[in-house]
Amino acid sequence: MDDLEAVLSRVRDRVVPEPAEREHLRAVAADLTERTREAIADLPVDADVVQVGSTARGTWVSGDRDIDLFVRFDADLDREQLEEYGLAVGHTVLPDGHEEYAEHPYVKGTHEGFDVDLVPCHDVATAGDLVSAVDRTPFHDAYLSARLDEDLADDVVLAKAFLKGIGAYGSDLRTEGFSGYLTELLVLELGGFVPLVESARSWHPPVEFDPEGHAERTFDDPLVVVDPTDPTRNVAAVLSAANLARFQHYARELLATPSEEPFEPEALTPLGPGDVRDHLDRRETTPAAVVFDAPDVVDDQLWPQLRRSLDGVVRGLNERGFDVLRAQAMTDAADGADNGGDGRDDNESGAERAALYAELEVATRPAVVRHEGPPVAVRKHAASFYESYADDVDPETYGPFIDGDRYVVEREREFTTVREYLESDAAGDVALGAQVEREFAERDVLVGDAVATLAPAFGVPLREFYEPHP
């Protein structure tokens, strides 16, 4: 434990904001808050402003420069007026800002080097009365602010730095990781960063925490943390099984061999075309990529559709005997950013092209495929199978004949190469995301060494694919 404490002490010195950084942020936030109050005073309705998020609670990682201000309007104010007044305030406070959209629009901009979100919401009585997802954020802030002391706040910063370092931080639907709110609840529930990793190394999912003991439903997720402000919500609903496992892996590594390395995000350099070819030569697999224009949507809409489309394509490849070894959806955009888990969908994709990438154990198949019928002894079904093929005059069909105890036919295979399948209409008949389906129609198909031409645009995800780590 002495080695671990020494490591954590050094990490704290680096990731916990110094007093000067805290004071600078406080001053900028106070200025923005006053400007917001002045803008509210010009409205024909009552409202107030509250700072929320990690920078309000002192739980941000040094260097983060985000300020979140929520303008709370009366719960009875209709949606149209909330949008109108909220945007008016936002554009007054952030005249160079731009509008983004969650369940309703808000203004995002910069002020003195800080990224600022100015979000309208309803001032509801309880989180159970919310009108939109962002309405619950002030309740989250109030709950945590009342319970996190300075030591726990510093441990939250450690936990966030750790999760960022291992690539498991972010509630956006690209990352499917730990949100800031989830991280803070776990540190609070377990009593610190070290107790959290000590607990996590032995978790056997599904794992459930209910801080207020008030859950009103059951959840089917690997990790469940019942929202202390809303008994019907799992704060960890976005977290993937893979990122939970990743957290457990690195928790065990940190406790077994304390090191600062897990707290330091790895900056991946792109693979070049030659690097890709080297991997292909060594692996002796056949890669195939379906490449198309990325739909013009935000990450939280894009990535679920890409994963759904990848699952459909992989299923289609396997059903036709091409035996997918591994597959991954990719874009040519930089990583998305965490939206803090407050319902804002503010992580623009920025992707121009997307790819569904698969490595195949088998790239060509015989001209015929075996189709087994029921055992001959199963009279009714066997007879039906036999009769359906007995009168088949197709010269490419062999049988029906008996092999062992059942009827068998060997029929002409629809596709004998992976390219044939991926370029066919059948490849577009799998379950694709709605916006992906439109772009998929104009796809390019790359097979074999040709995938190396993807490296200039997809070099980082190709490195993630060919050099995987926990």
Side-chain angles (χ1 to χ4, degrees), residues 223-264:
L223 177 64
V224 174
V225 179
V226 181
D227 192 332
T229 73
D230 183 349
T232 66
R233 177 175 180 260
N234 175 20
V235 180
V238 168
L239 179 66
S240 68
N243 273 323
L244 177 57
R246 180 170 291 113
F247 176 50
Q248 289 190 271
H249 168 83
Y250 283 102
R252 292 169 185 164
E253 291 283 299
L254 178 68
L255 293 170
T257 311
S259 167
E260 294 179 52
E261 186 175 347
F263 295 88
E264 299 168 354

Side-chain angles (χ1 to χ4, degrees), residues 315-353:
R315 188 163 54 252
L317 288 166
N318 283 331
E319 287 173 352
R320 287 159 179 83
F322 294 111
D323 298 351
V324 176
L325 178 66
R326 189 148 51 91
Q328 181 174 309
M330 305 176 176
T331 72
D332 60 358
D335 288 344
D338 173 38
N339 64 17
D342 59 15
R344 280 172 288 155
D345 203 6
D346 60 0
N347 44 332
E348 291 183 343
S349 155
E352 295 184 3
R353 297 282 278 173

Side-chain angles (χ1 to χ4, degrees), residues 286-419:
T286 299
V290 181
V291 190
F292 48 90
D293 288 341
D296 186 18
V297 295
V298 296
D299 261 351
D300 275 5
Q301 294 174 327
L302 175 63
W303 279 94
Q305 292 194 42
L306 289 179
R307 292 192 180 104
R308 173 182 170 86
S309 302
L310 181 68
D311 289 345
V313 168
V314 167
R315 188 163 54 252
L317 288 166
N318 283 331
E319 287 173 352
R320 287 159 179 83
F322 294 111
D323 298 351
V324 176
L325 178 66
R326 189 148 51 91
Q328 181 174 309
M330 305 176 176
T331 72
D332 60 358
D335 288 344
D338 173 38
N339 64 17
D342 59 15
R344 280 172 288 155
D345 203 6
D346 60 0
N347 44 332
E348 291 183 343
S349 155
E352 295 184 3
R353 297 282 278 173
L356 307 179
Y357 193 90
E359 265 196 342
L360 313 173
E361 296 183 22
V362 179
T364 61
R365 301 296 290 161
V368 295
V369 58
R370 177 184 174 93
H371 180 44
E372 293 186 349
V376 175
V378 183
R379 180 179 175 181
K380 182 178 179 180
H381 296 294
S384 176
F385 179 88
Y386 180 84
E387 290 166 4
S388 67
Y389 288 103
D391 297 329
D392 193 340
V393 295
D394 185 350
E396 303 299 333
T397 298
Y398 295 80
F401 56 90
I402 294 174
D403 188 357
D405 67 343
R406 66 182 62 229
Y407 291 121
V408 173
V409 294
E410 294 167 346
R411 300 176 297 181
E412 182 180 14
R413 188 184 295 273
E414 186 179 10
F415 305 105
T416 60
T417 70
V418 65
R419 179 180 292 280

Side-chain angles (χ1 to χ4, degrees), residues 274-287:
D275 301 317
V276 174
R277 293 189 187 97
D278 288 344
H279 282 293
L280 301 182
D281 290 343
R282 184 161 66 250
R283 294 168 70 82
E284 298 184 357
T285 55
T286 299

Side-chain angles (χ1 to χ4, degrees), residues 289-292 353 440 442-446:
V290 181
V291 190
F292 48 90
R353 297 282 278 173
F440 195 83
E442 301 298 324
R443 64 193 177 276
D444 297 320
V445 174
L446 305 176

Side-chain angles (χ1 to χ4, degrees), residues 78-101:
D78 66 50
R79 185 187 186 95
E80 185 176 322
Q81 288 181 306
L82 179 132
E83 292 181 8
E84 177 187 349
Y85 298 144
L87 291 177
V89 171
H91 287 301
T92 299
V93 177
L94 301 169
D96 296 324
H98 63 278
E99 294 178 16
E100 294 198 359
Y101 196 87

